[in-house]
Amino acid sequence: MEQSALDQIQSGQREIGLKRLFNEDYNIQEQLFLKAMNSFVDQSRHRLIDRLQHEKSKELLSLWAAFFVFLVSLSFWIMLIRRLQKWGGILSQEIREHHKAEKTANTLERKYQDLFEYANDPILILDPMTYRLLDVNRKAVDLLGYERDELLGLSLNDLILGDDQNSVEQLLKTLCPSNSTVSECTYRHKDGRPFPVEISGRLIDAGDKEVYQCFARDITERRRFQEERLHSQKIEAIGQVADGIAHDFRNALTAISGYNALGQNLLPKRHPALESLKRIDQVINQANGLIRGMLTFSRRQETERQSVELRQLVENSADLFRRILPAAITLEIDVASVQNFQVSADITQLQQVLLNLMINARDAMPDGGTLRISLSPASADRGDGSDTAGWVRIEVSDTGIGMPPEVQARIFEPFFTTKPDEYGTGLGLAMVHNIVSQHGGRVEVRSAVGQGSAFTVLLPPATPDSTQDEIISSRNWKSGAGEMILLAEDHRYVREIMAATLRHVGYEVVQAEDGLALLDRYRAHRDRLRLLIADLDLPGCSGLDALRQLRARGARLPAILITGTDSRDLSDQLDMETLLLRKPFQMATLARLVYSLLHQEARVDDRTHLDRPG
Amino acid sequence: MIGPISIVLVDDHALVRDMLRQRLAQETDMVVLGCESNAQDAVRCCVATRPDVVLLDIDMPGLSAFEGARSIKRQCPGTRLVFLSAFFHDRYIDQALALEATGYLTKNEPPEVVVQAIRQVMTGTVYFSDEVLTRIVVSEDGARLAHAPESRTRLLTERELEMLAYIARGLSKKEIARTVGISVKTVEQHCAHLMEKLAIHDRVELARLAIREGLVEP
């Protein structure tokens, strides 16, 4: 019973167990109870301790677990925060970069737009299927003459001349992102005017679809340069051939002319054959003229440039022009708008230009008409990039049969002619072109079949130097009247050339090789001498010393002292009758100076060569 | 007693040479001592006969007329040089002036002018036509042609110009050496210098330049 009560107590039925124990025998029960209690307490204590220990372990474990969890959580959160911070940084950087990229893209877009819009070459964006224009830049608008909106409705074929359409289409078909092809074709301006264009393009990705991006460069100027270069090469080749032919031709003519002269000398004065021999002379002269014409194509032609007043040239040539024109052709000359325009030119060649243009105009009007020669200032901006400001424009126009474009394209080619064989050599206009080019000018033509032609020659003005040369060479050359000049120069060859020049222009020359000879010759010819020319550095006695001696003896004749090395200002040592001429100087300058001194003209003011007493 | 003016005629064109000989033979104060067809023979003839005047055509095969003239001038200082050319070529005139030639005539002139020129140079002066005289410039170095063409050939010496002319005529270095009477090595040196100065190292281009510059006839 006790045991069962104890078991009950132990098993958790303490109340029942205890009641059963106490009710039955207190002492025993008490002892038992105490024993049981002790045992129980011990057991309980152990159990409690165990439990407590167990609980404590469990709690500790829980605590540790919680702590661990806390740590893990903390790490996690720290990591998370850090990651979030990092992600936030990345995100904000990405946002910044995105903004930056967006800004860059916008800038690039603007740049591209600017490049596209303001590119110096016309750019056309085309639909690859229909060749319709999707976009064009300003230059394309300017080039083609259409408004932008008008262009966007057009196909590329609307802008290209018929013959070139197929080739351009073929070109476009070959385009791909990695292939850019270049080709030349002819575009048509809105006003119908054709012009050459170099077209290049590639297939590009425009975002939503692929398009053709085409560059259409106006190559009018380049073509012109190419044509001029080609023409120059042809002329050079012809010049070389002409030079060779002219050389042999002239030798033959020299022999014919010489033998002809010999024959004439051998015949008595009234011999009937003389007339025929003189005719041969005429033919020889004509042949020499032909040689000169051939030499126009040679770089070694015999030219003499001088300043030519164009209005005077045209007016002076008017009589000659009238003589070659039949009565049915009316000649109009309008030179009023150009006053005193000087060009640096070979006057004979310039006349040749006018004459060739006149003859062409005459032949273009077999039934008569009006031939007009006009002079006018050239406009500065001629629309082709060339600067002709300050130039003069000579226009020779006719109301004749005109020329189709294919003839116009070839008229300046040597040996190209539309005239019958017996009338044209095909060299006339080539000669015009060559002469004008050599004078730094340009020649152009406008013509329409049935309406006539107009040739325009554009010439640059003479430079101040060439104007000076003109004054030198055209005035006072061959103007001497046998006046005697004493020339003292120690350089024999120079002295001989100067003497020959002075004799050639009409003076008598006495020469002296040094200062003493100068004084001696002066004494011998003092009554007839009109002028003294002396080198400043003569051996024996300098030119200046010799002149001083002569002045001391009362010689009042004008004098020219020549110096090359002496750069001193000698003006205070020269009297009013003496000029200082500095080397280098041209023979024509010497002739002009001599004339001026002998004729007491207004004193010459030649800043480059002369010093005068102040 | 002063004898007649002795003359040597040099021209590769037999017709011109014979015509001039016949024409000059008509002048009682002139005597033609020799007629040659190239500069080399002209030098030999002048050295042998010492003429008063040598009338030299410029463009002849073989030794250049200017080189021949230089040789005549050196060996026969009393002989006056008168050049006779088909045309007025600036380059030729400039070279003639550099040689202090006493005359320069073109074949365009009638034979009477040749006679007159010979007489004039015998008076101690020079004979140049109007076109040439107006363009002569007197400088410290002597006489030269005004507005003479400026080109790269200005960089060349007289000898190099001469070599360039021979190259343009198609002569080999050996032929040039034989013609001028110098060694092949010297010719090579001159050629190397002129090629360097002109920056042209191609014989065809050199020939083109020489023709353009009027150093030789095409």
Side-chain angles (χ1 to χ4, degrees):
Chain A
M1 186 180 153
E2 285 177 22
Q3 192 62 42
S4 65
L6 287 170
D7 290 340
Q8 281 179 321
I9 292 168
Q10 283 175 355
S11 64
Q13 293 172 333
R14 286 178 194 170
E15 294 287 327
I16 302 165
L18 284 172
K19 275 178 184 175
R20 281 177 65 187
L21 281 172
F22 286 118
N23 286 337
E24 290 178 5
D25 187 354
Y26 180 73
N27 287 330
I28 299 166
Q29 287 176 353
E30 190 181 7
Q31 285 175 358
L32 284 169
F33 176 72
L34 286 171
K35 200 178 170 186
M37 275 305 290
N38 285 336
S39 168
F40 175 75
V41 167
D42 285 344
Q43 285 179 6
S44 298
R45 193 176 66 231
H46 285 298
R47 282 180 188 155
L48 187 62
I49 289 166
D50 287 345
R51 184 164 290 179
L52 282 171
Q53 281 178 339
H54 180 69
E55 287 295 322
K56 196 177 176 183
S57 304
K58 268 177 78 178
E59 272 180 27
L60 270 171
L61 202 64
S62 299
L63 271 171
W64 277 112
F67 183 66
F68 177 72
V69 169
F70 171 73
L71 281 178
V72 169
S73 302
L74 188 66
S75 306
F76 172 75
W77 282 111
I78 289 170
M79 217 165 65
L80 188 66
I81 289 166
R82 283 187 181 165
R83 183 59 58 87
L84 281 173
Q85 277 180 337
K86 195 176 172 186
W87 286 346
I90 291 169
L91 196 64
S92 61
Q93 192 180 346
E94 280 185 0
I95 291 168
R96 277 200 305 274
E97 281 178 4
H98 177 73
H99 281 304
K100 197 175 164 186
E102 204 173 356
K103 201 174 165 186
T104 309
N106 285 339
T107 311
L108 280 173
E109 176 72 16
R110 272 202 309 278
K111 272 186 185 171
Y112 172 77
Q113 277 298 335
D114 282 352
L115 272 175
F116 175 78
E117 196 59 25
Y118 299 105
N120 207 28
D121 284 328
I123 305 174
L124 315 169
I125 306 294
L126 304 176
D127 185 316
M129 304 303 290
T130 60
Y131 303 130
R132 294 226 160 255
L133 297 174
L134 301 174
D135 201 359
V136 290
N137 68 349
R138 287 185 185 194
K139 201 74 184 175
V141 171
D142 294 344
L143 178 77
L144 297 163
Y146 291 89
E147 293 299 323
R148 189 184 294 261
D149 292 342
E150 287 178 308
L151 277 173
L152 297 183
L154 295 176
S155 154
L156 189 65
N157 283 342
D158 296 326
L159 305 172
I160 297 174
L161 283 189
D163 295 346
D164 288 339
Q165 285 175 1
N166 285 338
S167 59
V168 172
E169 274 186 27
Q170 290 303 318
L171 165 86
L172 292 174
K173 279 175 188 164
T174 64
L175 296 181
C176 64
S178 60
N179 181 26
S180 172
T181 313
V182 179
S183 176
E184 290 183 5
C185 64
T186 308
Y187 268 38
R188 187 171 31 219
H189 192 267
K190 189 182 179 184
D191 62 13
R193 171 175 54 87
F195 60 95
V197 165
E198 179 191 81
I199 187 164
S200 62
R202 60 190 302 152
L203 193 64
I204 60 163
D205 185 1
D208 50 344
K209 62 175 179 177
E210 290 186 319
V211 292
Y212 288 138
Q213 185 186 49
C214 295
F215 292 83
R217 186 173 291 170
D218 183 357
I219 53 169
T220 307
E221 270 298 282
R222 191 203 298 173
R223 279 268 176 94
R224 191 171 68 78
F225 285 129
Q226 282 171 345
E227 280 163 16
E228 281 182 3
R229 188 159 170 261
L230 192 67
H231 190 266
S232 301
Q233 285 171 343
K234 278 186 192 174
I235 293 289
E236 187 181 343
I238 286 167
Q240 289 182 4
V241 174
D243 219 33
I245 295 170
H247 180 258
D248 287 340
F249 199 22
R250 182 155 281 180
N251 271 312
L253 283 177
T254 304
I256 296 168
S257 166
Y259 281 118
N260 193 37
L262 280 171
Q264 287 181 47
N265 285 347
L266 291 172
L267 291 173
K269 278 188 179 175
R270 290 175 189 274
H271 195 282
L274 273 176
E275 189 59 32
S276 301
L277 295 179
K278 280 177 183 160
R279 284 283 169 90
I280 292 175
D281 276 338
Q282 288 173 2
V283 176
I284 289 166
N285 284 338
Q286 284 174 6
N288 273 319
L290 193 59
I291 289 177
R292 277 193 292 276
M294 287 169 74
L295 285 178
T296 309
F297 297 101
S298 164
R299 283 174 179 264
R300 291 184 282 169
Q301 61 184 308
E302 299 150 4
T303 63
E304 194 191 357
R305 293 282 181 94
Q306 55 182 275
S307 193
V308 180
E309 208 281 292
L310 270 184
R311 181 176 169 165
Q312 205 177 1
L313 174 79
V314 174
E315 284 176 344
N316 291 348
S317 308
D319 281 347
L320 172 69
F321 297 157
R322 284 196 180 88
R323 275 205 299 276
I324 65 163
L325 294 178
I329 294 176
T330 309
L331 176 66
E332 288 180 1
I333 294 178
D334 176 14
V335 291
S337 60
V338 172
Q339 298 287 336
N340 193 30
F341 190 94
Q342 310 272 342
V343 291
S344 175
D346 183 312
I347 197 161
T348 315
Q349 289 196 333
L350 217 49
Q351 277 174 332
Q352 180 83 56
V353 166
L354 290 175
L355 202 60
N356 286 6
L357 293 177
M358 291 275 305
I359 290 167
N360 265 28
R362 179 197 68 188
D363 295 346
M365 297 186 288
D367 302 323
T370 303
L371 195 160
R372 191 166 189 276
I373 301 174
S374 65
L375 288 184
S376 59
S379 55
D381 179 17
R382 302 178 55 255
D384 59 1
S386 60
D387 182 15
T388 51
W391 289 31
V392 75
R393 187 169 168 274
I394 310 169
E395 187 170 279
V396 178
S397 60
D398 63 65
T399 54
I401 53 176
M403 292 177 284
E406 60 271 21
V407 172
Q408 287 180 48
R410 298 190 60 197
I411 48 167
F412 295 117
E413 283 182 21
F415 305 116
F416 176 80
T417 182
T418 54
K419 296 177 187 176
D421 284 350
E422 61 271 31
Y423 293 110
T425 59
L427 290 178
L429 286 176
M431 210 181 274
V432 167
H433 188 278
N434 212 35
I435 292 172
V436 173
S437 299
Q438 283 170 1
H439 284 77
R442 289 171 57 177
V443 58
E444 293 166 357
V445 62
R446 296 190 321 275
S447 185
V449 175
Q451 292 176 32
S453 305
F455 286 84
T456 305
V457 173
L458 292 150
L459 289 172
T463 57
D465 286 350
S466 57
T467 311
Q468 183 69 20
D469 285 350
E470 187 273 332
I471 295 165
I472 291 165
S473 60
S474 70
R475 256 177 69 196
N476 316 331
W477 189 248
K478 285 200 173 178
S479 52
E483 295 94 332
M484 185 180 278
I485 296 169
L486 175 54
L487 171 66
E489 163 68 56
D490 57 325
H491 193 305
R492 187 190 57 82
Y493 191 56
V494 168
R495 187 175 72 243
E496 282 173 8
I497 285 179
M498 288 170 68
T501 304
L502 293 170
R503 281 199 197 99
H504 189 79
V505 297
Y507 302 107
E508 189 179 341
V509 183
V510 177
Q511 298 184 46
E513 63 281 6
D514 56 36
L516 297 175
L518 182 156
L519 296 171
D520 188 45
R521 305 283 190 283
Y522 177 79
R523 273 193 296 274
H525 302 280
R526 60 182 302 165
D527 295 336
R528 287 190 58 210
L529 280 174
R530 293 289 171 269
L531 180 76
L532 168 71
I533 301 172
D535 192 273
L536 204 62
D537 298 312
L538 288 174
C541 172
S542 82
L544 188 59
D545 288 343
L547 183 65
R548 279 181 183 147
Q549 288 187 38
L550 294 181
R551 292 282 189 247
R553 290 180 208 164
R556 300 310 314 159
L557 81 170
I560 299 169
L561 289 179
I562 297 167
T563 178
T565 53
D566 202 330
S567 57
R568 286 174 297 155
D569 181 9
L570 298 169
S571 55
D572 58 335
Q573 298 179 47
L574 305 179
D575 55 56
M576 288 303 290
E577 299 301 322
T578 308
L579 289 175
L580 190 68
L581 179 61
R582 291 185 188 278
K583 290 178 184 173
F585 60 87
Q586 210 167 325
M587 285 301 95
T589 309
L590 180 70
R592 173 178 62 101
L593 206 52
V594 167
Y595 180 89
S596 302
L597 285 172
L598 289 175
H599 293 80
Q600 294 298 308
E601 275 193 349
R603 289 303 186 216
V604 184
D605 178 24
D606 183 335
R607 287 181 297 276
T608 54
H609 300 293
L610 302 177
D611 284 352
R612 282 203 60 83
Chain B
M1 181 187 161
I2 301 168
I5 303 167
S6 55
I7 301 160
V8 166
L9 287 173
V10 191
D11 198 313
D12 60 321
H13 288 81
L15 273 173
V16 176
R17 202 170 58 229
D18 293 344
M19 179 276 291
L20 282 172
R21 186 179 52 77
Q22 287 188 39
R23 178 65 190 84
L24 295 177
Q26 289 186 341
E27 301 300 315
T28 52
D29 59 342
M30 294 182 189
V31 57
V32 178
L33 299 179
C35 287
E36 304 298 341
S37 59
N38 61 65
Q40 216 146 9
D41 292 343
V43 176
R44 269 197 292 273
C45 182
C46 287
V47 171
T49 60
R50 308 261 160 188
D52 294 318
V53 178
V54 58
L55 206 58
L56 264 170
D57 182 24
I58 289 179
D59 201 72
M60 293 183 291
L63 185 73
S64 98
F66 295 111
E67 181 56 23
R70 202 172 289 121
S71 184
I72 293 168
K73 195 176 158 68
R74 195 172 53 245
Q75 297 182 69
C76 315
T79 300
R80 291 157 181 84
L81 299 169
V82 176
F83 286 103
L84 188 63
S85 167
F87 307 106
F88 285 119
H89 289 170
D90 287 355
R91 175 74 61 195
Y92 289 170
I93 298 168
D94 227 16
Q95 290 187 75
L97 289 171
L99 271 169
E100 300 197 346
T102 48
Y104 188 104
L105 301 167
T106 67
K107 293 181 180 176
N108 192 29
E109 314 270 14
E112 278 62 36
V113 174
V114 178
V115 173
Q116 184 193 339
I118 290 171
R119 287 213 176 93
Q120 188 161 322
V121 299
M122 282 307 294
T123 64
T125 186
V126 293
Y127 187 93
F128 291 103
S129 71
D130 244 19
E131 292 92 326
V132 178
L133 275 179
T134 49
R135 294 178 58 201
I136 292 178
V137 165
V138 166
S139 67
E140 289 179 62
D141 305 324
R144 60 180 170 81
L145 202 64
H147 312 307
E150 283 295 328
S151 79
R152 282 181 294 169
T153 54
R154 283 263 165 199
L155 301 169
L156 305 183
T157 61
E158 288 283 327
R159 188 57 117 181
E160 286 162 355
L161 275 174
E162 197 190 338
M163 294 296 131
L164 179 59
Y166 289 129
I167 291 171
R169 286 185 192 171
L171 268 68
S172 68
K173 285 174 185 167
K174 275 186 187 171
E175 286 170 323
I176 297 173
R178 205 167 41 244
T179 308
V180 186
I182 54 178
S183 73
V184 177
K185 272 203 165 179
T186 313
V187 174
E188 280 171 354
Q189 274 181 356
H190 285 310
C191 290
H193 286 153
L194 77 92
M195 283 176 168
E196 196 179 324
K197 285 180 182 176
L198 298 172
I200 299 174
H201 300 276
D202 178 312
R203 285 180 74 99
V204 177
E205 280 306 308
L206 284 176
R208 277 171 59 91
L209 177 76
I211 292 169
R212 269 206 308 274
E213 295 296 325
L215 288 168
V216 288
E217 294 289 342

